[in-house]
Amino acid sequence: LYDVLHDIEYRKKWDSNVIETFDIARLTVNADVGYYSWRCPKPLKNRDVITLRSWLPMGADYIIMNYSVKHPKYPPRKDLVRAVSIQTGYLIQSTGPKSCVITYLAQVDPKGSLPKWVVNKSSQFLAPKA
């Protein structure tokens, strides 16, 4: 599961919402900056985000965390709304040789002119789907 979450080419196969995703820069052996854009349900405008992602294998468990950063070569696009990842990540805990439990944390500001109740209601549907 950890490898699947890190593989941006494979993500295009399993993530039906992805529009585009790519690595911008590798900072250390456990950190990079990346770009991700995704489709939103109509009538919402599609979103994108640039994040600083870091990860750490901890024995049989893994943690991947990210938050939004700005990058001079990738300013906000006119056709997308630039969302903000306040703190997003995965905790993958091994429960056996071929099983695990995944905990997903998503603290995101989707930006745009969305009423708060729309954001809260859609997160109840979108986060579990992710």
Side-chain angles (χ1 to χ4, degrees):
L1 183 56
Y2 175 76
D3 292 338
V4 166
L5 292 170
H6 268 284
D7 188 335
I8 60 173
E9 289 305 313
Y10 188 58
R11 182 169 198 140
K12 296 170 189 173
K13 293 183 174 148
W14 64 264
D15 184 350
S16 59
N17 294 317
V18 70
I19 297 171
E20 185 177 20
T21 185
F22 54 86
D23 293 335
I24 295 171
R26 182 70 167 239
L27 304 177
T28 69
V29 294
N30 288 52
D32 63 17
V33 175
Y35 176 86
Y36 176 73
S37 59
W38 67 95
R39 288 177 195 82
C40 291
K42 299 290 183 206
L44 303 178
K45 216 172 168 187
N46 294 334
R47 301 307 202 251
D48 73 347
V49 67
I50 294 177
T51 60
L52 170 60
R53 178 176 67 166
S54 58
W55 55 91
L56 182 64
M58 301 177 300
D61 301 336
Y62 299 87
I63 189 166
I64 304 169
M65 297 300 292
N66 71 61
Y67 60 89
S68 282
V69 294
K70 293 179 181 178
H71 195 284
K73 291 185 180 178
Y74 300 95
R77 295 170 37 177
K78 293 189 187 316
D79 61 326
L80 299 168
V81 174
R82 179 63 48 94
V84 174
S85 169
I86 299 163
Q87 187 73 52
T88 306
Y90 306 91
L91 173 62
I92 305 159
Q93 297 173 291
S94 175
T95 56
K98 295 188 178 206
S99 62
C100 64
V101 171
I102 183 167
T103 303
Y104 175 56
L105 165 74
Q107 195 176 12
V108 178
D109 182 348
K111 295 296 186 181
S113 56
L114 300 172
K116 201 177 255 188
W117 70 268
V118 171
V119 173
N120 291 335
K121 194 67 176 169
S122 64
S123 68
Q124 293 171 1
F125 169 74
L126 295 174
K129 189 178 175 191

PDB file of all heavy atoms in Angstrom, residues 12-47:
ATOM      1  N   LYS A  12      -2.510   7.209 -11.584  1.00  0.00           N
ATOM      2  CA  LYS A  12      -3.384   7.555 -12.695  1.00  0.00           C
ATOM      3  C   LYS A  12      -4.312   6.398 -13.063  1.00  0.00           C
ATOM      4  O   LYS A  12      -5.340   6.601 -13.687  1.00  0.00           O
ATOM      5  CB  LYS A  12      -2.552   7.983 -13.902  1.00  0.00           C
ATOM      6  CG  LYS A  12      -1.750   9.247 -13.637  1.00  0.00           C
ATOM      7  CD  LYS A  12      -0.744   9.524 -14.738  1.00  0.00           C
ATOM      8  CE  LYS A  12       0.170  10.670 -14.331  1.00  0.00           C
ATOM      9  NZ  LYS A  12       1.259  10.871 -15.271  1.00  0.00           N
ATOM     10  N   LYS A  13      -3.965   5.180 -12.640  1.00  0.00           N
ATOM     11  CA  LYS A  13      -4.805   4.007 -12.920  1.00  0.00           C
ATOM     12  C   LYS A  13      -5.864   3.791 -11.844  1.00  0.00           C
ATOM     13  O   LYS A  13      -6.980   3.405 -12.139  1.00  0.00           O
ATOM     14  CB  LYS A  13      -3.928   2.764 -13.063  1.00  0.00           C
ATOM     15  CG  LYS A  13      -3.062   2.825 -14.287  1.00  0.00           C
ATOM     16  CD  LYS A  13      -2.249   1.576 -14.465  1.00  0.00           C
ATOM     17  CE  LYS A  13      -1.538   1.712 -15.790  1.00  0.00           C
ATOM     18  NZ  LYS A  13      -0.331   1.168 -15.976  1.00  0.00           N
ATOM     19  N   TRP A  14      -5.520   4.014 -10.571  1.00  0.00           N
ATOM     20  CA  TRP A  14      -6.476   3.714  -9.502  1.00  0.00           C
ATOM     21  C   TRP A  14      -7.244   4.928  -9.007  1.00  0.00           C
ATOM     22  O   TRP A  14      -8.299   4.780  -8.398  1.00  0.00           O
ATOM     23  CB  TRP A  14      -5.810   2.990  -8.330  1.00  0.00           C
ATOM     24  CG  TRP A  14      -4.755   3.748  -7.589  1.00  0.00           C
ATOM     25  CD1 TRP A  14      -3.420   3.680  -7.790  1.00  0.00           C
ATOM     26  CD2 TRP A  14      -4.938   4.676  -6.508  1.00  0.00           C
ATOM     27  NE1 TRP A  14      -2.758   4.508  -6.914  1.00  0.00           N
ATOM     28  CE2 TRP A  14      -3.672   5.135  -6.108  1.00  0.00           C
ATOM     29  CE3 TRP A  14      -6.060   5.164  -5.825  1.00  0.00           C
ATOM     30  CZ2 TRP A  14      -3.485   6.042  -5.084  1.00  0.00           C
ATOM     31  CZ3 TRP A  14      -5.878   6.075  -4.801  1.00  0.00           C
ATOM     32  CH2 TRP A  14      -4.604   6.500  -4.437  1.00  0.00           C
ATOM     33  N   ASP A  15      -6.747   6.131  -9.248  1.00  0.00           N
ATOM     34  CA  ASP A  15      -7.412   7.350  -8.777  1.00  0.00           C
ATOM     35  C   ASP A  15      -8.207   7.959  -9.934  1.00  0.00           C
ATOM     36  O   ASP A  15      -7.654   8.634 -10.789  1.00  0.00           O
ATOM     37  CB  ASP A  15      -6.366   8.332  -8.255  1.00  0.00           C
ATOM     38  CG  ASP A  15      -6.966   9.601  -7.661  1.00  0.00           C
ATOM     39  OD1 ASP A  15      -8.184   9.823  -7.816  1.00  0.00           O
ATOM     40  OD2 ASP A  15      -6.205  10.378  -7.058  1.00  0.00           O
ATOM     41  N   SER A  16      -9.503   7.723  -9.948  1.00  0.00           N
ATOM     42  CA  SER A  16     -10.346   8.180 -11.065  1.00  0.00           C
ATOM     43  C   SER A  16     -10.537   9.694 -11.072  1.00  0.00           C
ATOM     44  O   SER A  16     -11.017  10.247 -12.056  1.00  0.00           O
ATOM     45  CB  SER A  16     -11.707   7.482 -11.016  1.00  0.00           C
ATOM     46  OG  SER A  16     -12.360   7.765  -9.793  1.00  0.00           O
ATOM     47  N   ASN A  17     -10.165  10.383 -10.004  1.00  0.00           N
ATOM     48  CA  ASN A  17     -10.318  11.843  -9.941  1.00  0.00           C
ATOM     49  C   ASN A  17      -9.084  12.605 -10.410  1.00  0.00           C
ATOM     50  O   ASN A  17      -9.150  13.804 -10.639  1.00  0.00           O
ATOM     51  CB  ASN A  17     -10.672  12.289  -8.522  1.00  0.00           C
ATOM     52  CG  ASN A  17     -12.031  11.778  -8.102  1.00  0.00           C
ATOM     53  OD1 ASN A  17     -12.977  11.822  -8.869  1.00  0.00           O
ATOM     54  ND2 ASN A  17     -12.114  11.267  -6.889  1.00  0.00           N
ATOM     55  N   VAL A  18      -7.947  11.934 -10.537  1.00  0.00           N
ATOM     56  CA  VAL A  18      -6.709  12.628 -10.892  1.00  0.00           C
ATOM     57  C   VAL A  18      -6.794  13.195 -12.316  1.00  0.00           C
ATOM     58  O   VAL A  18      -7.268  12.541 -13.228  1.00  0.00           O
ATOM     59  CB  VAL A  18      -5.470  11.720 -10.729  1.00  0.00           C
ATOM     60  CG1 VAL A  18      -5.423  10.614 -11.759  1.00  0.00           C
ATOM     61  CG2 VAL A  18      -4.189  12.535 -10.800  1.00  0.00           C
ATOM     62  N   ILE A  19      -6.353  14.429 -12.454  1.00  0.00           N
ATOM     63  CA  ILE A  19      -6.195  15.044 -13.773  1.00  0.00           C
ATOM     64  C   ILE A  19      -4.727  14.952 -14.164  1.00  0.00           C
ATOM     65  O   ILE A  19      -4.380  14.476 -15.232  1.00  0.00           O
ATOM     66  CB  ILE A  19      -6.657  16.520 -13.774  1.00  0.00           C
ATOM     67  CG1 ILE A  19      -8.151  16.610 -13.453  1.00  0.00           C
ATOM     68  CG2 ILE A  19      -6.333  17.178 -15.114  1.00  0.00           C
ATOM     69  CD1 ILE A  19      -8.653  18.029 -13.213  1.00  0.00           C
ATOM     70  N   GLU A  20      -3.878  15.402 -13.239  1.00  0.00           N
ATOM     71  CA  GLU A  20      -2.433  15.409 -13.494  1.00  0.00           C
ATOM     72  C   GLU A  20      -1.700  15.330 -12.160  1.00  0.00           C
ATOM     73  O   GLU A  20      -2.123  15.915 -11.168  1.00  0.00           O
ATOM     74  CB  GLU A  20      -2.062  16.708 -14.224  1.00  0.00           C
ATOM     75  CG  GLU A  20      -0.650  16.812 -14.666  1.00  0.00           C
ATOM     76  CD  GLU A  20      -0.365  18.093 -15.439  1.00  0.00           C
ATOM     77  OE1 GLU A  20      -1.133  19.072 -15.326  1.00  0.00           O
ATOM     78  OE2 GLU A  20       0.640  18.107 -16.157  1.00  0.00           O
ATOM     79  N   THR A  21      -0.597  14.598 -12.138  1.00  0.00           N
ATOM     80  CA  THR A  21       0.245  14.545 -10.945  1.00  0.00           C
ATOM     81  C   THR A  21       1.689  14.314 -11.374  1.00  0.00           C
ATOM     82  O   THR A  21       1.943  13.561 -12.301  1.00  0.00           O
ATOM     83  CB  THR A  21      -0.227  13.463  -9.949  1.00  0.00           C
ATOM     84  OG1 THR A  21       0.567  13.540  -8.766  1.00  0.00           O
ATOM     85  CG2 THR A  21      -0.176  12.067 -10.525  1.00  0.00           C
ATOM     86  N   PHE A  22       2.603  15.033 -10.732  1.00  0.00           N
ATOM     87  CA  PHE A  22       4.018  14.856 -11.054  1.00  0.00           C
ATOM     88  C   PHE A  22       4.874  15.401  -9.911  1.00  0.00           C
ATOM     89  O   PHE A  22       4.435  16.218  -9.119  1.00  0.00           O
ATOM     90  CB  PHE A  22       4.395  15.537 -12.383  1.00  0.00           C
ATOM     91  CG  PHE A  22       4.043  16.991 -12.469  1.00  0.00           C
ATOM     92  CD1 PHE A  22       4.904  17.978 -11.996  1.00  0.00           C
ATOM     93  CD2 PHE A  22       2.837  17.390 -13.043  1.00  0.00           C
ATOM     94  CE1 PHE A  22       4.583  19.316 -12.088  1.00  0.00           C
ATOM     95  CE2 PHE A  22       2.512  18.732 -13.153  1.00  0.00           C
ATOM     96  CZ  PHE A  22       3.379  19.699 -12.676  1.00  0.00           C
ATOM     97  N   ASP A  23       6.114  14.902  -9.869  1.00  0.00           N
ATOM     98  CA  ASP A  23       7.093  15.394  -8.899  1.00  0.00           C
ATOM     99  C   ASP A  23       7.732  16.661  -9.441  1.00  0.00           C
ATOM    100  O   ASP A  23       8.080  16.729 -10.623  1.00  0.00           O
ATOM    101  CB  ASP A  23       8.172  14.350  -8.641  1.00  0.00           C
ATOM    102  CG  ASP A  23       7.641  13.116  -7.934  1.00  0.00           C
ATOM    103  OD1 ASP A  23       6.619  13.235  -7.228  1.00  0.00           O
ATOM    104  OD2 ASP A  23       8.237  12.032  -8.096  1.00  0.00           O
ATOM    105  N   ILE A  24       7.884  17.651  -8.584  1.00  0.00           N
ATOM    106  CA  ILE A  24       8.545  18.900  -8.953  1.00  0.00           C
ATOM    107  C   ILE A  24      10.014  18.860  -8.548  1.00  0.00           C
ATOM    108  O   ILE A  24      10.892  19.191  -9.338  1.00  0.00           O
ATOM    109  CB  ILE A  24       7.833  20.114  -8.313  1.00  0.00           C
ATOM    110  CG1 ILE A  24       6.414  20.242  -8.885  1.00  0.00           C
ATOM    111  CG2 ILE A  24       8.642  21.388  -8.525  1.00  0.00           C
ATOM    112  CD1 ILE A  24       5.546  21.274  -8.183  1.00  0.00           C
ATOM    113  N   ALA A  25      10.283  18.435  -7.323  1.00  0.00           N
ATOM    114  CA  ALA A  25      11.666  18.409  -6.837  1.00  0.00           C
ATOM    115  C   ALA A  25      11.816  17.390  -5.718  1.00  0.00           C
ATOM    116  O   ALA A  25      10.924  17.228  -4.891  1.00  0.00           O
ATOM    117  CB  ALA A  25      12.064  19.791  -6.324  1.00  0.00           C
ATOM    118  N   ARG A  26      12.963  16.740  -5.691  1.00  0.00           N
ATOM    119  CA  ARG A  26      13.314  15.832  -4.601  1.00  0.00           C
ATOM    120  C   ARG A  26      14.187  16.627  -3.644  1.00  0.00           C
ATOM    121  O   ARG A  26      15.216  17.173  -4.043  1.00  0.00           O
ATOM    122  CB  ARG A  26      14.060  14.627  -5.161  1.00  0.00           C
ATOM    123  CG  ARG A  26      14.440  13.594  -4.150  1.00  0.00           C
ATOM    124  CD  ARG A  26      13.201  12.860  -3.636  1.00  0.00           C
ATOM    125  NE  ARG A  26      13.546  11.692  -2.899  1.00  0.00           N
ATOM    126  CZ  ARG A  26      13.152  10.479  -3.203  1.00  0.00           C
ATOM    127  NH1 ARG A  26      12.378  10.271  -4.229  1.00  0.00           N
ATOM    128  NH2 ARG A  26      13.512   9.469  -2.467  1.00  0.00           N
ATOM    129  N   LEU A  27      13.781  16.738  -2.375  1.00  0.00           N
ATOM    130  CA  LEU A  27      14.518  17.552  -1.409  1.00  0.00           C
ATOM    131  C   LEU A  27      15.501  16.729  -0.585  1.00  0.00           C
ATOM    132  O   LEU A  27      16.621  17.154  -0.340  1.00  0.00           O
ATOM    133  CB  LEU A  27      13.537  18.273  -0.495  1.00  0.00           C
ATOM    134  CG  LEU A  27      12.494  19.150  -1.209  1.00  0.00           C
ATOM    135  CD1 LEU A  27      11.546  19.759  -0.212  1.00  0.00           C
ATOM    136  CD2 LEU A  27      13.164  20.205  -2.063  1.00  0.00           C
ATOM    137  N   THR A  28      15.047  15.575  -0.116  1.00  0.00           N
ATOM    138  CA  THR A  28      15.897  14.654   0.642  1.00  0.00           C
ATOM    139  C   THR A  28      15.461  13.243   0.269  1.00  0.00           C
ATOM    140  O   THR A  28      14.556  13.065  -0.546  1.00  0.00           O
ATOM    141  CB  THR A  28      15.729  14.831   2.179  1.00  0.00           C
ATOM    142  OG1 THR A  28      14.426  14.376   2.562  1.00  0.00           O
ATOM    143  CG2 THR A  28      15.920  16.279   2.607  1.00  0.00           C
ATOM    144  N   VAL A  29      16.057  12.249   0.900  1.00  0.00           N
ATOM    145  CA  VAL A  29      15.636  10.874   0.619  1.00  0.00           C
ATOM    146  C   VAL A  29      14.209  10.615   1.107  1.00  0.00           C
ATOM    147  O   VAL A  29      13.566   9.676   0.663  1.00  0.00           O
ATOM    148  CB  VAL A  29      16.599   9.833   1.229  1.00  0.00           C
ATOM    149  CG1 VAL A  29      17.967   9.893   0.569  1.00  0.00           C
ATOM    150  CG2 VAL A  29      16.695   9.976   2.730  1.00  0.00           C
ATOM    151  N   ASN A  30      13.701  11.470   1.993  1.00  0.00           N
ATOM    152  CA  ASN A  30      12.362  11.285   2.548  1.00  0.00           C
ATOM    153  C   ASN A  30      11.461  12.496   2.356  1.00  0.00           C
ATOM    154  O   ASN A  30      10.510  12.680   3.120  1.00  0.00           O
ATOM    155  CB  ASN A  30      12.439  10.982   4.048  1.00  0.00           C
ATOM    156  CG  ASN A  30      12.959   9.598   4.321  1.00  0.00           C
ATOM    157  OD1 ASN A  30      14.000   9.222   3.818  1.00  0.00           O
ATOM    158  ND2 ASN A  30      12.246   8.830   5.105  1.00  0.00           N
ATOM    159  N   ALA A  31      11.720  13.320   1.340  1.00  0.00           N
ATOM    160  CA  ALA A  31      10.864  14.492   1.129  1.00  0.00           C
ATOM    161  C   ALA A  31      10.944  14.965  -0.320  1.00  0.00           C
ATOM    162  O   ALA A  31      12.011  14.938  -0.930  1.00  0.00           O
ATOM    163  CB  ALA A  31      11.270  15.631   2.066  1.00  0.00           C
ATOM    164  N   ASP A  32       9.786  15.390  -0.829  1.00  0.00           N
ATOM    165  CA  ASP A  32       9.740  15.961  -2.169  1.00  0.00           C
ATOM    166  C   ASP A  32       8.641  17.013  -2.253  1.00  0.00           C
ATOM    167  O   ASP A  32       7.842  17.173  -1.327  1.00  0.00           O
ATOM    168  CB  ASP A  32       9.555  14.881  -3.240  1.00  0.00           C
ATOM    169  CG  ASP A  32       8.250  14.109  -3.142  1.00  0.00           C
ATOM    170  OD1 ASP A  32       7.299  14.559  -2.463  1.00  0.00           O
ATOM    171  OD2 ASP A  32       8.147  13.048  -3.766  1.00  0.00           O
ATOM    172  N   VAL A  33       8.644  17.740  -3.356  1.00  0.00           N
ATOM    173  CA  VAL A  33       7.583  18.697  -3.662  1.00  0.00           C
ATOM    174  C   VAL A  33       6.877  18.155  -4.898  1.00  0.00           C
ATOM    175  O   VAL A  33       7.534  17.734  -5.856  1.00  0.00           O
ATOM    176  CB  VAL A  33       8.146  20.107  -3.929  1.00  0.00           C
ATOM    177  CG1 VAL A  33       7.043  21.062  -4.363  1.00  0.00           C
ATOM    178  CG2 VAL A  33       8.849  20.644  -2.697  1.00  0.00           C
ATOM    179  N   GLY A  34       5.543  18.138  -4.841  1.00  0.00           N
ATOM    180  CA  GLY A  34       4.800  17.569  -5.956  1.00  0.00           C
ATOM    181  C   GLY A  34       3.551  18.348  -6.297  1.00  0.00           C
ATOM    182  O   GLY A  34       3.070  19.180  -5.510  1.00  0.00           O
ATOM    183  N   TYR A  35       3.027  18.075  -7.484  1.00  0.00           N
ATOM    184  CA  TYR A  35       1.822  18.716  -8.000  1.00  0.00           C
ATOM    185  C   TYR A  35       0.741  17.661  -8.171  1.00  0.00           C
ATOM    186  O   TYR A  35       1.018  16.538  -8.593  1.00  0.00           O
ATOM    187  CB  TYR A  35       2.115  19.358  -9.359  1.00  0.00           C
ATOM    188  CG  TYR A  35       0.888  19.955 -10.010  1.00  0.00           C
ATOM    189  CD1 TYR A  35       0.484  21.244  -9.708  1.00  0.00           C
ATOM    190  CD2 TYR A  35       0.140  19.220 -10.916  1.00  0.00           C
ATOM    191  CE1 TYR A  35      -0.649  21.791 -10.296  1.00  0.00           C
ATOM    192  CE2 TYR A  35      -0.991  19.764 -11.512  1.00  0.00           C
ATOM    193  CZ  TYR A  35      -1.381  21.040 -11.197  1.00  0.00           C
ATOM    194  OH  TYR A  35      -2.503  21.577 -11.761  1.00  0.00           O
ATOM    195  N   TYR A  36      -0.498  18.020  -7.823  1.00  0.00           N
ATOM    196  CA  TYR A  36      -1.640  17.116  -7.995  1.00  0.00           C
ATOM    197  C   TYR A  36      -2.874  17.949  -8.332  1.00  0.00           C
ATOM    198  O   TYR A  36      -3.157  18.938  -7.660  1.00  0.00           O
ATOM    199  CB  TYR A  36      -1.878  16.331  -6.704  1.00  0.00           C
ATOM    200  CG  TYR A  36      -3.093  15.433  -6.728  1.00  0.00           C
ATOM    201  CD1 TYR A  36      -3.093  14.261  -7.473  1.00  0.00           C
ATOM    202  CD2 TYR A  36      -4.236  15.750  -6.012  1.00  0.00           C
ATOM    203  CE1 TYR A  36      -4.211  13.435  -7.499  1.00  0.00           C
ATOM    204  CE2 TYR A  36      -5.350  14.923  -6.032  1.00  0.00           C
ATOM    205  CZ  TYR A  36      -5.332  13.764  -6.780  1.00  0.00           C
ATOM    206  OH  TYR A  36      -6.428  12.943  -6.806  1.00  0.00           O
ATOM    207  N   SER A  37      -3.563  17.580  -9.405  1.00  0.00           N
ATOM    208  CA  SER A  37      -4.841  18.223  -9.728  1.00  0.00           C
ATOM    209  C   SER A  37      -5.903  17.139  -9.840  1.00  0.00           C
ATOM    210  O   SER A  37      -5.619  16.009 -10.237  1.00  0.00           O
ATOM    211  CB  SER A  37      -4.738  19.036 -11.027  1.00  0.00           C
ATOM    212  OG  SER A  37      -4.371  18.229 -12.123  1.00  0.00           O
ATOM    213  N   TRP A  38      -7.151  17.504  -9.469  1.00  0.00           N
ATOM    214  CA  TRP A  38      -8.218  16.515  -9.451  1.00  0.00           C
ATOM    215  C   TRP A  38      -9.548  17.101  -9.903  1.00  0.00           C
ATOM    216  O   TRP A  38      -9.777  18.294  -9.834  1.00  0.00           O
ATOM    217  CB  TRP A  38      -8.349  15.881  -8.073  1.00  0.00           C
ATOM    218  CG  TRP A  38      -8.824  16.779  -6.986  1.00  0.00           C
ATOM    219  CD1 TRP A  38     -10.110  16.924  -6.546  1.00  0.00           C
ATOM    220  CD2 TRP A  38      -8.034  17.663  -6.160  1.00  0.00           C
ATOM    221  NE1 TRP A  38     -10.160  17.829  -5.508  1.00  0.00           N
ATOM    222  CE2 TRP A  38      -8.914  18.300  -5.251  1.00  0.00           C
ATOM    223  CE3 TRP A  38      -6.675  17.968  -6.105  1.00  0.00           C
ATOM    224  CZ2 TRP A  38      -8.471  19.220  -4.308  1.00  0.00           C
ATOM    225  CZ3 TRP A  38      -6.256  18.888  -5.170  1.00  0.00           C
ATOM    226  CH2 TRP A  38      -7.135  19.500  -4.282  1.00  0.00           C
ATOM    227  N   ARG A  39     -10.389  16.177 -10.387  1.00  0.00           N
ATOM    228  CA  ARG A  39     -11.735  16.532 -10.829  1.00  0.00           C
ATOM    229  C   ARG A  39     -12.647  16.658  -9.613  1.00  0.00           C
ATOM    230  O   ARG A  39     -12.610  15.831  -8.714  1.00  0.00           O
ATOM    231  CB  ARG A  39     -12.305  15.447 -11.742  1.00  0.00           C
ATOM    232  CG  ARG A  39     -11.672  15.396 -13.086  1.00  0.00           C
ATOM    233  CD  ARG A  39     -12.227  14.236 -13.931  1.00  0.00           C
ATOM    234  NE  ARG A  39     -11.367  13.991 -15.064  1.00  0.00           N
ATOM    235  CZ  ARG A  39     -10.247  13.285 -15.035  1.00  0.00           C
ATOM    236  NH1 ARG A  39      -9.853  12.721 -13.922  1.00  0.00           N
ATOM    237  NH2 ARG A  39      -9.511  13.139 -16.113  1.00  0.00           N
ATOM    238  N   CYS A  40     -13.469  17.682  -9.648  1.00  0.00           N
ATOM    239  CA  CYS A  40     -14.478  17.873  -8.609  1.00  0.00           C
ATOM    240  C   CYS A  40     -15.846  17.623  -9.218  1.00  0.00           C
ATOM    241  O   CYS A  40     -16.039  17.796 -10.424  1.00  0.00           O
ATOM    242  CB  CYS A  40     -14.413  19.307  -8.067  1.00  0.00           C
ATOM    243  SG  CYS A  40     -12.923  19.636  -7.133  1.00  0.00           S
ATOM    244  N   PRO A  41     -16.809  17.226  -8.391  1.00  0.00           N
ATOM    245  CA  PRO A  41     -18.160  17.008  -8.914  1.00  0.00           C
ATOM    246  C   PRO A  41     -18.746  18.310  -9.456  1.00  0.00           C
ATOM    247  O   PRO A  41     -18.478  19.386  -8.917  1.00  0.00           O
ATOM    248  CB  PRO A  41     -18.951  16.509  -7.712  1.00  0.00           C
ATOM    249  CG  PRO A  41     -18.019  16.442  -6.562  1.00  0.00           C
ATOM    250  CD  PRO A  41     -16.687  16.961  -6.974  1.00  0.00           C
ATOM    251  N   LYS A  42     -19.500  18.201 -10.523  1.00  0.00           N
ATOM    252  CA  LYS A  42     -20.165  19.376 -11.105  1.00  0.00           C
ATOM    253  C   LYS A  42     -21.135  19.935 -10.082  1.00  0.00           C
ATOM    254  O   LYS A  42     -21.716  19.181  -9.322  1.00  0.00           O
ATOM    255  CB  LYS A  42     -20.913  18.984 -12.388  1.00  0.00           C
ATOM    256  CG  LYS A  42     -20.019  18.436 -13.480  1.00  0.00           C
ATOM    257  CD  LYS A  42     -19.163  19.508 -14.056  1.00  0.00           C
ATOM    258  CE  LYS A  42     -18.330  18.946 -15.206  1.00  0.00           C
ATOM    259  NZ  LYS A  42     -17.132  19.629 -15.437  1.00  0.00           N
ATOM    260  N   PRO A  43     -21.308  21.214  -9.958  1.00  0.00           N
ATOM    261  CA  PRO A  43     -20.812  22.299 -10.789  1.00  0.00           C
ATOM    262  C   PRO A  43     -19.504  22.910 -10.265  1.00  0.00           C
ATOM    263  O   PRO A  43     -19.133  23.992 -10.679  1.00  0.00           O
ATOM    264  CB  PRO A  43     -21.944  23.313 -10.712  1.00  0.00           C
ATOM    265  CG  PRO A  43     -22.442  23.179  -9.304  1.00  0.00           C
ATOM    266  CD  PRO A  43     -22.284  21.701  -8.979  1.00  0.00           C
ATOM    267  N   LEU A  44     -18.814  22.218  -9.346  1.00  0.00           N
ATOM    268  CA  LEU A  44     -17.593  22.769  -8.761  1.00  0.00           C
ATOM    269  C   LEU A  44     -16.467  22.794  -9.781  1.00  0.00           C
ATOM    270  O   LEU A  44     -16.383  21.940 -10.661  1.00  0.00           O
ATOM    271  CB  LEU A  44     -17.157  21.945  -7.552  1.00  0.00           C
ATOM    272  CG  LEU A  44     -18.174  21.792  -6.426  1.00  0.00           C
ATOM    273  CD1 LEU A  44     -17.595  20.920  -5.329  1.00  0.00           C
ATOM    274  CD2 LEU A  44     -18.591  23.146  -5.894  1.00  0.00           C
ATOM    275  N   LYS A  45     -15.593  23.774  -9.634  1.00  0.00           N
ATOM    276  CA  LYS A  45     -14.413  23.872 -10.487  1.00  0.00           C
ATOM    277  C   LYS A  45     -13.357  22.886  -9.983  1.00  0.00           C
ATOM    278  O   LYS A  45     -13.244  22.641  -8.778  1.00  0.00           O
ATOM    279  CB  LYS A  45     -13.867  25.305 -10.408  1.00  0.00           C
ATOM    280  CG  LYS A  45     -13.299  25.806 -11.693  1.00  0.00           C
ATOM    281  CD  LYS A  45     -12.968  27.297 -11.587  1.00  0.00           C
ATOM    282  CE  LYS A  45     -12.131  27.664 -12.787  1.00  0.00           C
ATOM    283  NZ  LYS A  45     -11.623  29.015 -12.712  1.00  0.00           N
ATOM    284  N   ASN A  46     -12.599  22.300 -10.882  1.00  0.00           N
ATOM    285  CA  ASN A  46     -11.536  21.378 -10.505  1.00  0.00           C
ATOM    286  C   ASN A  46     -10.472  22.100  -9.685  1.00  0.00           C
ATOM    287  O   ASN A  46     -10.320  23.309  -9.774  1.00  0.00           O
ATOM    288  CB  ASN A  46     -10.924  20.740 -11.754  1.00  0.00           C
ATOM    289  CG  ASN A  46     -11.911  19.855 -12.474  1.00  0.00           C
ATOM    290  OD1 ASN A  46     -12.839  19.325 -11.874  1.00  0.00           O
ATOM    291  ND2 ASN A  46     -11.730  19.686 -13.765  1.00  0.00           N
ATOM    292  N   ARG A  47      -9.742  21.336  -8.870  1.00  0.00           N
ATOM    293  CA  ARG A  47      -8.759  21.890  -7.937  1.00  0.00           C
ATOM    294  C   ARG A  47      -7.367  21.366  -8.242  1.00  0.00           C
ATOM    295  O   ARG A  47      -7.196  20.322  -8.864  1.00  0.00           O
ATOM    296  CB  ARG A  47      -9.096  21.496  -6.490  1.00  0.00           C
ATOM    297  CG  ARG A  47     -10.451  21.916  -5.920  1.00  0.00           C
ATOM    298  CD  ARG A  47     -10.670  23.357  -6.079  1.00  0.00           C
ATOM    299  NE  ARG A  47     -11.626  23.958  -5.177  1.00  0.00           N
ATOM    300  CZ  ARG A  47     -12.813  24.387  -5.563  1.00  0.00           C
ATOM    301  NH1 ARG A  47     -13.253  24.201  -6.771  1.00  0.00           N
ATOM    302  NH2 ARG A  47     -13.591  25.035  -4.710  1.00  0.00           N
TER     303      ARG A  47
END
